[in-house]
Amino acid sequence: MNKVVRLTPDLLRQSLRLAAVMFGTAAIALWSDRTAYLWYSLNAALIVVDDNDELTIPAAKGRIFGTILGALITFLVHTIVSGWVAVLIACLFCLPLLRLMGWQGGLSTAMTIIVMFLMIPGQADFSWNFVFNRSLDLIIGIVVAVTVSFLFWPRNRLVELERLDLALDHQIRLIGGFHLMSPIQQATSAHLINAEGSLLKSAEIDLTDGLLRLARLVELAMRSQQAAIVRRKRWWQRLLLWETLLHHFLELERHQALFISGKRSPLLTAAIDDERQRVQQALHSMTLCRNACR
């Protein structure tokens, strides 16, 4: 069955960013006459450049030092044992050291360099000079990826959080027929929802998918350099409030569907009124929290 992939603005930006990273890395390798092991640099750049652009700068230090640590451990282990046993031993040493030094961001590049170094045909080629040059190749790819991600279309998770938060709020009020937001809130919501075209219109947002995306954005923002702002704006508490709100809203929708289908009873009517009241209270609490965290 054929599946059509829609070209979204985010996908286009990420594709152009990745192309710029690959071109820049290859150009530097050609200029410095380091094309013999170009795939080291390209592989490192491919690992580093991702859609979580604001995580690239804080993680650059961990990735660079993780690369160096992985190379040193691999060289020392390789002098004693080779093959996949060496991979296992190197990983056993590398994982706790990266965690101990706070360089977890370099785990991907460290594991990559461990595996790539073991592809060397003979141990005679595996010298300190080789370790230094291949580590330098990896660092070049990392630096190019960090630079391109920082310069071209960097994303602000805080703006996306606010936009998605207001879009979900508007969607629930629209579907449930609750009181609409104030004119100022409606204007702010419309501006954020339609800004840069990065979110669908609120009427097209699936609530469950929206909540999962909101949780993912909060998790990513907490691991970025904006973590202090995320804590100050109480996004973890707001996320818990959203989970409660969505739970009661879905329960309200389920009870109303039963009522419409003809399964009417005083108990069902009372349950609908109770869930509606709970949703209204949660929406009000969300508005108060949103205003307090501005």
Side-chain angles (χ1 to χ4, degrees), residues 71-195:
L72 293 177
I73 291 177
T74 305
F75 178 80
L76 295 175
V77 171
H78 204 77
T79 58
I80 303 172
V81 64
S82 61
W84 290 108
V85 177
V87 175
L88 177 61
I89 296 176
C91 291
L92 289 177
F93 279 102
C94 193
L95 290 173
L97 284 177
L98 287 173
R99 184 173 181 83
L100 179 64
M101 297 179 181
W103 299 339
Q104 294 92 333
L107 178 61
S108 57
T109 51
M111 296 299 102
T112 301
I113 200 171
I114 288 174
V115 176
M116 288 195 302
F117 276 8
L118 292 171
M119 296 178 181
I120 299 173
Q123 286 197 13
D125 300 329
F126 200 76
S127 61
W128 283 112
N129 182 62
F130 184 88
V131 170
F132 173 78
N133 281 283
R134 299 298 73 76
S135 299
L136 184 59
D137 290 336
L138 288 170
I139 291 173
I140 289 174
I142 293 172
V143 171
V144 172
V146 169
T147 304
V148 171
S149 297
F150 180 75
L151 294 178
F152 294 97
W153 308 294
R155 298 177 62 176
N156 189 337
R157 296 290 177 190
L158 294 179
V159 174
E160 291 190 32
L161 281 171
E162 296 289 349
R163 192 183 305 151
L164 184 56
D165 174 65
L166 290 173
L168 289 172
D169 186 285
H170 184 77
Q171 176 77 347
I172 287 180
R173 294 176 186 273
L174 183 67
I175 295 177
F178 296 98
H179 297 296
L180 295 177
M181 296 179 285
S182 64
I184 297 179
Q185 290 175 323
Q186 291 183 26
T188 305
S189 175
H191 172 71
L192 288 174
I193 292 171
N194 297 315

Side-chain angles (χ1 to χ4, degrees), residues 30-50:
L30 183 62
W31 172 76
S32 59
D33 195 22
R34 305 180 66 90
T35 56
Y37 293 91
L38 177 60
W39 60 284
Y40 277 77
S41 300
L42 294 178
N43 198 14
L46 184 62
I47 293 174
V48 172
V49 65
D50 55 16

